[in-house]
Amino acid sequence: MPKRVLDHKISGVFRHKLNDNRNPIFEDLTTSSMCLTAASARCCARMLSVRGLDIIAESEESGIYMVMHAAEGFFITGHSEYSPNTLDFEYRRDLDKGMNPDIPAHYYIDDDR
């Protein structure tokens, strides 16, 4: 999937807007959902449309979360598999490596550690 590398890692829990809930897999979802994201790159919407991919869910803060191709299925760019403590682990790991990461957005109480 086409993407561009970011200047810094995006990390946190972000509200994603569901662009199309006509697919039966989304029938119980509202118009938005909270999704975990930890990424050093973003998908490029302009390039996705050229490749026949439809953006299903995206966030103004963290970008595209889910896309769909009629023949190939769904692609997820976030981390639905993360446990509640994974962003904390990654943040502290990156601190220990001297990477100076941003505090994960909307993750800690009062957005502090």
Side-chain angles (χ1 to χ4, degrees):
M1 191 171 327
K3 60 185 176 182
R4 68 177 170 85
V5 176
L6 301 170
D7 295 335
H8 68 286
K9 182 177 182 177
I10 294 173
S11 176
V13 182
F14 301 98
R15 181 166 302 283
H16 288 75
K17 177 182 168 246
L18 185 61
N19 293 328
D20 183 358
N21 62 356
R22 290 176 292 171
N23 188 304
I25 198 169
F26 304 116
E27 66 188 358
D28 292 330
L29 294 179
T30 61
T31 57
S32 68
S33 62
M34 300 299 284
C35 303
L36 294 169
T37 300
S40 298
R42 269 194 177 168
C43 294
C44 303
R46 180 176 47 83
M47 294 176 77
L48 292 178
S49 64
V50 170
R51 295 173 186 253
L53 295 166
D54 294 319
I55 299 170
I56 301 298
E58 63 186 321
S59 166
E60 287 186 24
E61 288 183 274
S62 64
I64 297 168
Y65 180 76
M66 180 187 300
V67 297
M68 182 178 153
H69 186 275
E72 300 294 327
F74 294 98
F75 299 91
I76 306 290
T77 64
H79 287 286
S80 304
E81 81 282 6
Y82 275 12
S83 73
N85 296 320
T86 303
L87 287 181
D88 179 64
F89 171 79
E90 285 193 1
Y91 173 67
R92 294 180 190 286
R93 178 201 63 202
D94 292 351
L95 277 176
D96 290 344
K97 289 182 177 181
M99 296 171 65
N100 195 28
D102 291 341
I103 295 172
H106 319 296
Y107 180 71
Y108 297 110
I109 296 172
D110 298 324
D111 276 335
D112 61 10
R113 45 190 162 118

